[in-house]
Amino acid sequence: MQTKMNVGNISVIGFDADDTLWDNETLFQDVEARFRELMAPYCSGDDASAELFKTEMRHLHIYGFGVKSFTLSMVETALSLSGGNVPGSITTELLRLGQSLLTAPVMLLGGVEEVLRQLSGRFRLVLATKGDLLDQERKLERSGMVSYFHHIEVMSDKRVDDYKEMLRRLDVRPEAFLMVGNSLKSDILPVLQLGGEAVHIPYHVTWAHEATDGVNPTGRHYHRLDRIGELPGLFS
Ligand SMILES: [Mg+2]
């Protein structure tokens, strides 16, 4: 049984977007699977993935999160793994794979629209996501969910200070804020640290960067659900 929240305290609900409202990580993993195939002349699939991840992490502070940084990292990794000899046809395919992520249809997860419809009448809903600004705006537009949100926040990162700044601008106290998301690292732990409420809804795949091995939040402000459709039940 979930602990019921004190609804009276909550005025704003923040929703993560990727892998909370719509599928995202499986698209990236499909592209990475193709990247591994394309790198087969130079190294094993696992080495290709490891190098790609290293490149992404090395550039995170200048590129930020999202599809375009992932695409640039694939190209750079291909150049480095091939000793600068990767054929133009492969580079072209990597760029095309990146573009396919930017134009992929938005696949809403089950129950999302009903939950947003129910909760938007009772709370201020905020979309709080990382990634490319243009890409996230386009996905939200294509999702058809934009009208349920009072505010869209595309954050450069989701650390405690980033949430603190967002809540300051929204003029909401942490105790009145509930965050819903699939990533313990980005959506849950920083919000709990600030003194907010957090609902973790794990997705079946997680990007390595979001991994938090062995971390198990506890306490009455932490909630865990199997699917988003269970969210309104926390307030009933
Ligand atoms: Mg997410």
Side-chain angles (χ1 to χ4, degrees):
M1 277 296 287
Q2 286 290 334
T3 324
K4 295 279 191 263
M5 263 182 274
N6 184 349
V7 190
N9 286 344
I10 302 296
S11 61
V12 175
I13 303 179
F15 285 88
D16 169 54
D18 291 338
D19 302 321
T20 296
L21 301 183
W22 51 67
D23 173 60
N24 177 69
E25 183 58 24
T26 59
L27 300 173
F28 275 79
Q29 292 198 355
D30 288 349
V31 166
E32 186 169 328
R34 180 63 186 144
F35 175 76
R36 290 162 65 110
E37 285 173 9
L38 291 170
M39 291 302 101
Y42 312 110
C43 65
S44 71
D46 285 352
D47 284 351
S49 285
E51 272 312 303
L52 175 59
F53 186 65
K54 264 196 262 174
T55 308
E56 287 183 270
M57 292 305 103
R58 193 164 62 240
H59 293 323
L60 205 50
H61 70 291
I62 46 171
Y63 290 166
F65 294 92
V67 174
K68 282 178 272 184
S69 30
F70 178 65
T71 308
L72 284 171
S73 293
M74 281 198 297
V75 171
E76 182 175 327
T77 307
L79 283 164
S80 128
L81 289 173
S82 66
N85 292 317
V86 69
S89 59
I90 291 186
T91 313
T92 303
E93 179 165 355
L94 294 176
L95 294 172
R96 193 191 57 72
L97 285 166
Q99 286 159 10
S100 74
L101 288 173
L102 292 170
T103 53
V106 175
M107 303 294 288
L108 280 181
L109 303 188
V112 162
E113 177 154 26
E114 181 55 27
V115 166
L116 295 179
R117 186 187 297 122
Q118 282 185 39
L119 297 180
S120 63
R122 299 171 65 185
F123 306 94
R124 267 202 294 163
L125 305 189
V126 171
L127 189 83
T129 178
K130 292 188 296 201
D132 290 328
L133 177 61
L134 186 58
D135 182 35
Q136 294 295 15
E137 286 178 342
R138 203 170 10 196
K139 282 195 283 189
L140 181 62
E141 193 60 47
R142 279 199 303 251
S143 75
M145 297 297 106
V146 68
S147 64
Y148 294 114
F149 291 98
H150 292 78
H151 177 79
I152 314 300
E153 184 91 7
V154 180
M155 306 160 82
S156 56
D157 207 339
K158 283 178 151 181
R159 290 171 297 203
V160 174
D161 283 348
D162 303 299
Y163 281 103
K164 198 185 279 181
E165 176 61 20
M166 180 181 82
L167 295 185
R168 189 191 62 74
R169 275 188 280 112
L170 291 170
D171 198 21
V172 57
R173 290 171 297 109
E175 311 84 69
F177 179 67
L178 164 73
M179 183 69 193
V180 180
N182 71 298
S183 168
L184 279 180
K185 180 177 179 178
S186 295
D187 305 318
I188 307 303
L189 297 173
V191 173
L192 290 174
Q193 199 177 323
L194 266 184
E197 298 269 346
V199 176
H200 184 214
I201 310 175
Y203 198 53
H204 63 95
V205 281
T206 307
W207 182 32
H209 177 69
E210 302 294 330
T212 45
D213 297 335
V215 176
N216 287 303
T218 52
R220 65 193 173 87
H221 299 298
Y222 169 69
H223 314 265
R224 187 185 179 285
L225 299 177
D226 290 329
R227 57 191 68 82
I228 199 165
E230 297 168 357
L231 186 61
L234 286 179
F235 301 102
S236 56

